[in-house]
Amino acid sequence: MQTVMVASTNPAKVAAVRDAFSLAFPLLSFNVEGISAQSGVRDQPLTSEETLLGARNRVKHCREQCPDADYIVGLEAGIDDKFTFAWMVIEHDGQYSESRSASLPLPPLALEKIQQGMELGDVMDEMFNQQNVKQKGGAIAMLTNHLLTRSSVYQQALILALIPFLNPQLF
């Protein structure tokens, strides 16, 4: 059994990683666990670059805490212009792979509140009269009427980030 450490305790992120690894490697068994790891960026990253740095930092800090894990996965959600998205960073045996999730447009009111310093999850809680959206379906679920969820969109990006590990002979 291989160990996959997720550099987050967010249930939506851990579920996305578990599902992606199960789909990508159906013949292997994985123990997927979440652990708190610092991003080293703002709670709400406001550029693609800052968001990617947060995901990379999470991987680095998680690897320091879990030196024997087979895989380390860092996910960081952020804002890029008028959109929200997330970076996925996967490290395995010293090799890194990165992928970016689909982007979704944010309503002008949400962007305004984010510019005032609120986190997107808190904005969605307020706009949709919910609690802790970011640990459930996320803004994605709220804005798509639950057609998509944070986990489902992240799962696709994670599978894309796994390409070098699925096809090591090409990388």
Side-chain angles (χ1 to χ4, degrees), residues 47-65:
T47 67
S48 179
E49 294 79 11
E50 182 182 13
T51 306
L52 178 56
L53 178 61
R56 288 174 176 165
N57 286 343
R58 286 184 189 279
V59 168
K60 177 184 171 200
H61 293 132
C62 187
R63 176 54 78 193
E64 290 169 357
Q65 295 177 68

Side-chain angles (χ1 to χ4, degrees), residues 26-61:
L27 301 179
L28 298 177
S29 295
F30 295 96
N31 178 32
V32 179
E33 296 180 35
I35 186 171
S36 181
Q38 295 300 312
S39 70
V41 298
R42 290 179 277 199
D43 289 340
Q44 181 61 76
L46 296 178
T47 67
S48 179
E49 294 79 11
E50 182 182 13
T51 306
L52 178 56
L53 178 61
R56 288 174 176 165
N57 286 343
R58 286 184 189 279
V59 168
K60 177 184 171 200
H61 293 132

